[in-house]
Amino acid sequence: MFSDRINRLGESLTMAITQKAREVKASGREVYGFSVGEPDFDTPVKIKEAAKKALDDGFTKYTPVVGIPDLLSTIKDKLKKENGLDYETNQIVVSNGAKQSLFNLLAVLLNHGDEVIIPNPAWVSYPDMVNFFGGKPVFVETTEEEKFKLTAEKLKAAITDKTKILMLNSPSNPTGSVYTEEEYAALGKVLEGTDIIVFSDEMYEKLIYGGKKFVSIAGVSEDLYKRTITINGVSKGMAMTGWRMGYFATADASIAKAVGKLQGQSTSNINSITQVACITALDGSVDKEIEEMRIAFEKRRDLTVKLINDIDGLSVIEPDGAFYLFVNCSEVEKDSMKFCLDLLDKKAVATVPGVGFGSDGFFRMSFAMDEDTLRRGIGLIEEFVQGK
Ligand SMILES: Cc1ncc(COP(=O)(O)O)c(C=O)c1O
């Protein structure tokens, strides 16, 4: 009965663990939800006020499919001011979360057999989306020693005449790795003379630590600007996961037009109230609140990295961004699915197996919760590792 397409799509592993955690909770136990991929903070008040006003003003009708003009020009200004990138509003499309931006882009760009290079470990949804559209994920393994970043040599070796897209994500989910300008420039050199499109997923842009600088690959050279699609949103940095807004910007307006056509025949515009709220999220009005959240995350990163590295048998490299630790548990258990299921069963701590991100022997834990919960949860992980 089902299409080949849907049969090629796996269930999101993060969702699967979250579901299992719900079951443990329903049995009356307190669950430490370290598997979640969202900030614990509430959306900044000014954003909520903008939404309330939009509702009271009756801004409740269909809007242009790709986003209201005021939001598109706010995004254009944001990209110029914060990322040094020049786009016109007809090169930008607003979608129902960056997830839909990615999905739509792959839908309009991929043909059967097209290859998409995905450096592993990578966000769980990339390979499934590629498979869904009949593309072929080409995984390139990166190592802890490389800080889980793709090198120019490995990129070169992975390119074939079928390569259509290179998927990059900095700061990374699940590793928190952040590419430098030099690293991007080295990748850019390898891409010169090819038709490869770069997807730069910049969802965690606002969550960056240790004085590191966030760099958009599209700003590194003219060649990279032309071939890159910059993808971003408000879910993570602005604590707006439930509002559903993501966007992309491309030098090639025909790509934006094609996505607009697809969106017009599928979901149409995103929620009208969300669009108004996102103007406040992106125009600088809540920069102070965003920075406060970032500082809190940085403290939690420092705390959790230390606590995990103090546990015999576990180790983690310090992430430069996002809000995850990608913990090496291979000394204790190489089978990450087994590790995470046992940990959930025995200690009610939910984490995500590294195998879901393409790297067995690791698990991902979020540090997007209060310090007390983090301390107690990591205490339970320690007990579990010690076999208590
Ligand atoms: C790397 C990455 N990209 C994109 C997304 C999608 O975010 P949203 O659809 O909420 O904008 C996520 C969410 O988990 C993510 O981790």
Side-chain angles (χ1 to χ4, degrees):
M1 162 168 129
F2 293 108
S3 68
D4 293 344
R5 251 189 331 268
I6 195 65
N7 287 333
R8 285 195 298 266
L9 196 64
E11 196 192 340
S12 158
L13 196 74
T14 329
M15 300 282 183
I17 291 282
T18 308
Q19 178 55 31
K20 172 119 182 99
R22 269 194 211 111
E23 287 163 27
V24 176
K25 201 170 183 177
S27 73
R29 295 161 73 195
E30 186 192 353
V31 172
Y32 292 80
F34 292 178
S35 58
V36 293
E38 61 184 349
D40 55 328
F41 296 108
D42 195 3
T43 304
V45 171
K46 282 181 207 152
I47 298 174
K48 290 198 215 176
E49 277 166 359
K52 284 181 196 162
K53 181 166 183 317
L55 198 52
D56 289 341
D57 289 348
F59 195 69
T60 55
K61 303 282 193 270
Y62 288 128
T63 77
V65 166
V66 296
I68 54 175
D70 281 354
L71 177 56
L72 294 175
S73 56
T74 302
I75 295 170
K76 168 183 148 88
D77 293 348
K78 181 258 178 241
L79 289 165
K80 175 71 184 160
K81 189 170 144 231
E82 295 184 1
N83 309 95
L85 301 174
D86 280 303
Y87 293 107
E88 294 306 322
T89 50
N90 69 347
Q91 295 171 312
I92 300 168
V93 174
V94 171
S95 297
N96 199 48
K99 207 173 215 176
Q100 195 195 11
S101 304
L102 286 157
F103 195 84
N104 284 349
L105 283 164
L106 291 169
V108 306
L109 290 171
L110 279 187
N111 279 316
H112 266 264
D114 284 346
E115 293 180 358
V116 179
I117 297 178
I118 304 178
N120 262 348
W123 183 43
V124 289
S125 294
Y126 297 145
D128 280 302
M129 287 188 194
V130 170
N131 281 326
F132 186 73
F133 293 113
K136 183 177 165 220
V138 174
F139 298 110
V140 181
E141 304 307 321
T142 66
T143 65
E144 264 184 314
E145 292 68 40
E146 295 161 342
K147 275 205 137 188
F148 298 113
K149 288 186 263 188
L150 180 65
T151 60
E153 297 71 43
K154 287 188 178 178
L155 172 61
K156 201 169 180 180
I159 292 174
T160 72
D161 55 6
K162 293 207 172 69
T163 308
K164 179 94 184 232
I165 295 164
L166 165 64
M167 199 71 98
L168 293 175
N169 171 217
S170 170
S172 149
N173 173 9
T175 66
S177 300
V178 174
Y179 283 83
T180 63
E181 186 164 354
E182 294 69 37
E183 287 162 348
Y184 274 153
L187 298 179
K189 280 261 165 302
V190 176
L191 296 173
E192 271 171 25
T194 72
D195 293 329
I196 298 169
I197 301 168
V198 175
F199 277 25
S200 178
D201 179 341
E202 306 185 356
M203 276 306 292
Y204 295 87
E205 171 190 16
K206 295 287 171 189
L207 301 169
I208 199 144
Y209 314 121
K212 294 272 175 344
K213 190 170 156 258
F214 173 80
V215 180
S216 283
I217 189 170
V220 171
S221 71
E222 188 55 26
D223 183 74
L224 281 166
Y225 172 75
K226 285 193 188 129
R227 68 173 71 249
T228 297
I229 303 177
T230 302
I231 297 135
N232 208 330
V234 294
S235 287
K236 315 289 178 169
M238 291 79 172
M240 293 180 74
T241 47
W243 295 73
R244 309 313 299 135
M245 191 286 248
Y247 61 89
F248 71 82
T250 164
D252 184 344
S254 71
I255 296 178
K257 197 167 171 209
V259 169
K261 186 165 76 168
L262 171 65
Q263 206 163 283
Q265 297 290 19
S266 52
T267 56
S268 291
N269 63 275
I270 73 161
N271 180 298
S272 56
I273 310 295
T274 292
Q275 293 190 59
V276 176
C278 284
I279 295 175
T280 301
L282 292 168
D283 70 0
S285 306
V286 291
D287 281 1
K288 191 171 137 279
E289 289 85 343
I290 292 171
E291 177 60 6
E292 280 164 7
M293 290 191 271
R294 190 200 67 75
I295 291 168
F297 281 126
E298 180 154 3
K299 270 180 73 189
R300 295 165 180 185
R301 175 199 69 154
D302 294 347
L303 172 75
T304 52
V305 165
K306 179 167 178 338
L307 291 175
I308 289 287
N309 279 329
D310 281 349
I311 301 174
D312 248 1
L314 298 184
S315 65
V316 66
I317 55 169
E318 187 176 69
D320 290 328
F323 43 60
Y324 308 105
L325 300 187
F326 201 56
V327 182
N328 188 332
C329 61
S330 57
E331 254 184 55
V332 181
E333 174 61 68
K334 287 196 171 53
D335 181 342
S336 58
M337 183 59 99
K338 183 171 181 333
F339 182 96
C340 293
L341 287 176
D342 283 356
L343 178 61
L344 190 51
D345 255 7
K346 294 202 173 112
K347 299 290 175 186
V349 178
T351 54
V352 189
V355 68
F357 306 97
S359 295
D360 221 355
F362 291 84
F363 68 88
R364 189 197 75 177
M365 65 164 280
S366 159
F367 54 83
M369 58 221 72
D370 67 88
E371 290 187 14
D372 185 47
T373 308
L374 288 167
R375 279 182 197 280
R376 283 187 288 134
I378 295 176
L380 289 168
I381 295 176
E382 181 163 22
E383 283 180 19
F384 172 74
V385 167
Q386 290 169 347
K388 284 188 203 157

XYZ file of all heavy atoms in Angstrom, residues 97-99 123 126 169 173 201 203-204 235-236 244, ligand 1:
130
model
N 9.803 26.015 10.145
C 10.988 25.445 10.790
C 12.068 25.184 9.748
O 11.774 24.983 8.558
N 13.325 25.179 10.219
C 14.434 24.888 9.303
C 14.306 23.473 8.749
O 14.816 23.156 7.677
C 15.761 25.064 10.017
N 13.614 22.625 9.489
C 13.402 21.262 9.017
C 12.655 21.284 7.679
O 13.015 20.583 6.738
C 12.585 20.499 10.061
C 12.808 19.018 10.063
C 12.092 18.396 11.250
C 12.894 17.223 11.781
N 12.320 16.633 12.977
N 23.307 15.369 12.123
C 21.921 15.425 12.603
C 21.103 14.317 11.949
O 21.212 14.091 10.738
C 21.327 16.797 12.284
C 19.941 16.999 12.795
C 19.459 16.639 14.013
C 18.850 17.614 12.095
N 18.133 17.002 14.126
C 17.735 17.607 12.959
C 18.699 18.180 10.825
C 16.498 18.133 12.603
C 17.475 18.708 10.476
C 16.391 18.682 11.359
N 19.129 14.439 8.290
C 19.711 14.635 6.951
C 19.620 13.381 6.060
O 19.088 13.450 4.952
C 21.174 15.081 7.018
C 21.460 16.405 7.676
C 22.619 16.583 8.415
C 20.602 17.489 7.545
C 22.918 17.802 9.017
C 20.903 18.704 8.150
C 22.058 18.857 8.884
O 22.356 20.056 9.474
N 27.016 21.708 8.921
C 26.218 22.151 10.077
C 27.166 22.611 11.180
O 27.804 21.805 11.827
C 25.346 20.955 10.530
C 24.641 21.202 11.853
O 24.496 20.295 12.673
N 24.182 22.399 12.081
N 24.986 19.805 15.564
C 24.220 18.839 16.340
C 24.601 17.490 15.749
O 24.329 17.289 14.571
C 22.712 19.104 16.146
C 21.856 18.032 16.786
O 22.344 17.180 17.508
N 20.561 18.072 16.495
N 23.798 24.679 7.426
C 22.753 24.690 8.449
C 23.304 25.418 9.678
O 24.164 24.906 10.387
C 22.369 23.240 8.775
C 21.302 23.129 9.844
O 21.101 24.092 10.593
O 20.683 22.047 9.944
N 21.617 26.669 12.343
C 20.577 26.710 13.382
C 21.087 27.117 14.760
O 20.373 27.708 15.551
C 19.929 25.327 13.528
C 18.836 25.054 12.569
S 17.563 26.314 12.616
C 16.845 26.057 14.213
N 22.322 26.729 15.079
C 22.841 26.982 16.435
C 23.780 28.189 16.473
O 24.588 28.315 17.391
C 23.533 25.723 16.971
C 22.578 24.556 17.168
C 22.294 23.678 16.138
C 21.928 24.376 18.386
C 21.399 22.623 16.300
C 21.036 23.329 18.563
C 20.773 22.451 17.518
O 19.880 21.421 17.697
N 14.368 28.580 16.330
C 14.046 27.568 17.344
C 15.034 27.543 18.501
O 14.636 27.544 19.658
C 14.026 26.171 16.715
O 12.883 26.016 15.924
N 16.313 27.476 18.194
C 17.305 27.176 19.231
C 17.798 28.426 19.950
O 17.734 28.505 21.171
C 18.495 26.422 18.622
C 18.093 25.286 17.674
C 17.478 24.096 18.373
C 17.074 23.037 17.344
N 16.700 21.774 17.916
N 7.592 27.417 15.144
C 7.821 26.896 13.803
C 8.141 27.976 12.773
O 7.295 28.396 11.984
C 6.643 26.019 13.313
C 6.223 24.931 14.262
C 7.385 24.085 14.835
N 8.130 23.376 13.814
C 9.466 23.349 13.792
N 10.201 23.973 14.701
N 10.077 22.666 12.845
C 21.056 20.760 13.036
C 19.611 21.095 13.005
N 19.086 21.624 11.903
C 17.793 21.933 11.813
C 16.933 21.687 12.865
C 15.478 22.028 12.677
O 15.011 23.038 13.501
P 13.577 23.667 13.345
O 12.802 22.850 12.369
O 12.978 23.637 14.700
O 13.781 25.068 12.846
C 17.422 21.099 14.026
C 16.519 20.753 15.128
O 16.766 19.893 15.945
C 18.796 20.793 14.103
O 19.328 20.236 15.205
